Amino acid sequence: MNFENLKVSKALELKNMTIKNRIVRSATHSMLGNLDGTISADELKMYDELASNEIGLIIAGQFFVSKDGIVAPGSNELINDDHVKHAKKIKEIVESNGTKVIAQINHAGMEAYSQDPFGPSEFEMQDGKVARAMTIDEITRVKSDFVEAAVRAQESGMDGVQLHAAHGYLLCEFLKPSINKRTDDYGGCSENRF
């Protein structure tokens, strides 16, 4: 493949957003967050460095939607309104460089840092722990947690939201028939799993 004609500097027009170029920094878990779920000074420095190096779009990951869904202590959160003002600092830092930022929101499901891990179905994990099946009430609550986190991302000035539905976390668990053995409205056919 010839990369000579690749125009990474050309702006990318999306429906509601113009990205100054085609360089995207994918979401990663920086492991730099504060223990209270807020953005740390080291993270802000990282975002400033990324934006000042002409990144067009940063997908800031992972922001967890509920305490029972964090993957490790020090994970970023969009669980309460206090987290909004901290997430807003990312937007303030990157926008001076013309960089857009999207918040990746997630729930770790069976992979959560929890004494009571849960997922779509009971599941024995590699470490021998058994994750329990979520109740309908828990599913309803977590769906609401995702919506509330997306609203908080919007309130913080983020340019969009990315749902994390990969790497064996909760949304991925629901999608996979090898993990999701439910027989109700959240299992079985692909439409129900989605």
Side-chain angles (χ1 to χ4, degrees):
M1 179 179 255
N2 182 351
F3 292 103
E4 290 177 24
N5 295 323
L6 187 62
K7 305 278 191 219
V8 295
S9 62
K10 183 179 177 186
L12 179 62
E13 298 285 336
L14 301 176
K15 183 177 180 180
N16 297 316
M17 178 175 24
T18 301
I19 301 170
K20 69 180 178 180
N21 59 41
R22 294 166 185 248
I23 302 172
V24 177
R25 191 274 197 159
S26 186
T28 60
H29 191 147
S30 69
M31 304 296 212
L32 297 172
N34 294 321
L35 291 177
D36 64 357
T38 59
I39 309 301
S40 71
D42 286 339
E43 281 180 295
L44 292 175
K45 182 178 176 184
M46 175 191 72
Y47 287 119
D48 185 40
E49 184 175 334
L50 288 166
S52 66
N53 279 289
E54 293 305 311
I55 302 294
L57 172 66
I58 297 171
I59 303 173
Q62 310 174 62
F63 285 93
F64 288 92
V65 301
S66 53
K67 279 287 185 197
D68 58 15
I70 65 170
V71 75
S75 298
N76 291 329
E77 302 169 13
L78 279 172
I79 294 172
N80 61 54
D81 293 339
D82 187 50
H83 294 134
V84 171
K85 68 181 178 187
H86 293 277
K88 187 178 283 190
K89 293 175 185 177
I90 297 172
K91 176 64 177 176
E92 291 168 353
I93 283 176
V94 304
E95 72 182 345
S96 65
N97 289 289
T99 300
K100 301 292 184 184
V101 62
I102 290 175
Q104 180 191 68
I105 57 177
N106 191 20
H107 187 294
M110 296 185 300
E111 299 296 327
Y113 181 78
S114 172
Q115 296 299 316
D116 183 29
F118 58 68
S121 305
E122 185 175 299
F123 191 83
E124 185 173 345
M125 297 182 292
Q126 288 181 351
D127 62 3
K129 282 186 185 176
V130 176
R132 64 176 177 79
M134 294 173 74
T135 66
I136 296 294
D137 286 345
E138 287 171 325
I139 292 171
T140 301
R141 188 222 359 121
V142 171
K143 285 169 45 176
S144 178
D145 291 343
F146 269 96
V147 170
E148 290 172 16
V151 168
R152 288 185 183 104
Q154 183 180 36
E155 290 171 352
S156 75
M158 296 285 179
D159 297 294
V161 173
Q162 179 189 65
L163 296 177
H164 192 327
H167 307 131
Y169 294 133
L170 186 64
L171 297 181
C172 178
E173 293 165 7
F174 269 91
L175 297 174
K176 293 178 76 170
S178 61
I179 295 175
N180 184 348
K181 304 292 186 187
R182 297 182 79 92
T183 57
D184 60 13
D185 290 344
Y186 295 99
C189 68
S190 59
E191 183 178 325
N192 285 359
R193 294 193 321 272
F194 273 83

